[in-house]
Amino acid sequence: MLGDSEIQDLGRSLGNVLHENQQHHENLQGLLQKFHDLLDTYNQLKSDYEEEKEGRERYKKLVRGQERNPFALVLVDGDGYLFKDHLVREGAEGGTRAAQLLNDSIKALLSEQLGNQADQCRIMVRVYSNLLGLSKTLARTGLVGNEARSLSSFSSSFTRSQDLFDYIDAGDKKEGADYKIREMFRLFVDNNQCKHIFFAGCHDAGYLSLLTPYRGKADRITLLKTASFRPEYDKLNLPVREISTIFTSSPPSPPVGGSNVIPVTRPVCRHFQKGTCRFGKDCTKLHIMPNQPFSKPFYENSTQPASFAAKCRDQEYYNRNLPKMSSKSQECIALNKDGERIDTYCPMPSPEEWELYSRRAKRQKLCNNLHLTGECNNIDCEFDHDPIEPACLNTLMYLTRQLSCSRGAGCRSIKCYLGHHCQKDGCKGTKPCKFNRQGHTLDLQVAQWVTPIENEDGSLVSDGSSEANSTADQNNTAAFNMKDMIQL
């Protein structure tokens, strides 16, 4: 039989075992609780990771989608940026031509910004204007008819000609076009698919607040210039470009011979137009309303007599009145009713054509005789005889037309490539223009076509007395470099 001390020892041992078991159980429960907590945390983190992963995948798909269809946006306030007169006058055909010219010009400007990536960008154009009010204004100048919304044939043709081009009637409310342009700008300025915005609204200082937050963002915004470009926009530190082949650089011209045209022989009083002229009837300036059409005289200058006053002719005038290059003009010479020679129309080269010609002429001056008449009889000719691009040929022809033929309107040589009257846009007859008064006032109405001197009696005139030789450009003076072009 166990003694009391042994029984007590066994009791203490049993108590220790029970305590250890209890402690082990508590430790096990704590460990299990930590495991469950850790498992819950893991599951939560895993869920967050999966959501983040899905979000990244959606973002990648969105980015890929935005990169898939890049475009450049052109916003035009059509109430301030007017298309060239000759384009508007041509109606539906002019709208198609305007859209094509604008598309080509924007692609060229976009290449300056994006380089090779520009080829992947489509061009989106939004033109907003008060179509009714603009039609009335243009009707007063004789560019469109007098019916309501007579500009619609031009605008609808502009819209149809390109997939992403829209000429939109913003209504007759004062801020209609402004509101549309502002909202379109805000919608796309931070859009990754929109690679660049060309903004044509710089005639109105009201857009400054819209563009100011993007000061200096030359990689996103380019300003397009017009005649009424506000100088405040220069402070935005944004690139400014001009598309002179599309947007007019002056107000619409009045109809020729219209009864409502006021001839201006003195400056216009701007104070009267604002209603603040204090001189009243004693004012020495002309009092006419801002929208009242008027004709401007050919201003007198130091190189012409005081009696020399004629209307200033522009490219639209020459395009409308001069005969075009044709098979007939290559065989015969056009004369007016006074027997004076009329040149065929020679359009002003585009900036791209100027640049192409400049690069070519810097290497070596082109031979005018070879490229413009098809032959050069000088075996020691030092000028460039290599084939040239059509753009270079057009520019060379335009430059030689700026040089006055010594025989003037009496020249009858079909090989004479010099000018027989002025065709320079807006020329006032001052230096450096080479033409006299007759060259700026010549009647351009074709009355007859005559046989050139080379083809008279079926034979060429002798070299010693050839009228073609009398007008030849022996020194190749028309092969100008870019500095010469600027002086013209």
Side-chain angles (χ1 to χ4, degrees), residues 274-487:
K274 296 178 182 179
T276 59
C277 181
R278 57 177 176 158
F279 297 104
K281 295 181 180 179
D282 296 328
C283 182
T284 59
K285 297 183 179 181
L286 192 66
H287 282 191
I288 61 174
M289 297 307 295
N291 295 327
Q292 196 167 357
F294 59 87
S295 61
K296 294 183 179 180
F298 192 92
Y299 296 104
E300 297 177 4
N301 55 76
S302 59
T303 62
Q304 300 289 354
S307 60
F308 180 25
K311 288 185 178 179
C312 189
R313 298 172 173 178
D314 55 16
Q315 280 290 302
E316 285 82 0
Y317 180 87
Y318 293 122
N319 182 33
R320 185 172 65 251
N321 290 280
L322 288 177
K324 304 300 187 292
M325 184 73 73
S326 63
S327 57
K328 188 171 187 178
S329 69
Q330 294 175 341
E331 297 177 357
C332 300
I333 295 175
L335 303 180
N336 61 17
K337 59 182 176 58
D338 299 318
E340 298 167 318
R341 177 168 179 168
I342 302 173
D343 290 330
T344 55
Y345 175 61
C346 188
M348 181 184 299
S350 66
E352 293 76 15
E353 290 176 327
W354 282 120
E355 179 63 25
L356 184 63
Y357 175 84
S358 176
R359 290 199 301 267
R360 179 64 181 269
K362 283 179 180 178
R363 295 203 313 263
Q364 184 182 6
K365 288 185 177 182
L366 300 172
C367 178
N368 300 336
N369 290 327
L370 177 69
H371 296 300
L372 296 177
T373 68
E375 60 182 8
C376 176
N377 298 322
N378 184 1
I379 59 175
D380 298 323
C381 182
E382 60 185 75
F383 302 111
D384 190 350
H385 283 202
D386 292 337
I388 61 173
E389 301 85 347
C392 281
L393 183 61
N394 293 340
T395 306
L396 181 62
M397 184 180 300
Y398 177 81
L399 288 171
T400 55
R401 289 288 179 88
Q402 306 302 315
L403 299 175
S404 176
C405 172
S406 61
R407 296 188 64 86
C411 177
R412 296 294 183 268
S413 172
I414 197 69
K415 292 186 177 182
C416 181
Y417 47 73
L418 303 181
H420 303 92
H421 54 79
C422 184
Q423 287 195 48
K424 190 176 180 182
D425 185 43
C427 181
K428 296 181 180 180
T430 58
K431 293 181 180 180
C433 183
K434 308 297 183 182
F435 296 91
N436 57 17
R437 177 191 176 191
Q438 183 190 29
H440 294 87
T441 59
L442 195 73
D443 179 9
L444 303 183
Q445 183 68 36
V446 178
Q448 60 176 319
W449 292 85
V450 298
T451 302
I453 192 171
E454 289 90 347
N455 297 339
E456 288 182 355
D457 301 327
S459 61
L460 294 174
V461 229
S462 65
D463 292 339
S465 59
S466 173
E467 189 171 21
N469 288 340
S470 69
T471 61
D473 182 18
Q474 298 293 343
N475 296 321
N476 216 61
T477 53
F480 299 115
N481 55 27
M482 185 57 75
K483 184 182 297 184
D484 299 319
M485 296 179 200
I486 297 174
Q487 293 176 348

Side-chain angles (χ1 to χ4, degrees), residues 117-138:
Q117 295 181 2
D119 296 334
Q120 303 173 6
C121 289
R122 303 180 70 185
I123 308 299
M124 179 188 296
V125 176
R126 294 290 183 271
V127 182
Y128 298 96
S129 72
N130 175 1
L131 201 62
L132 178 61
L134 187 58
S135 296
K136 291 180 179 179
T137 301
L138 296 175

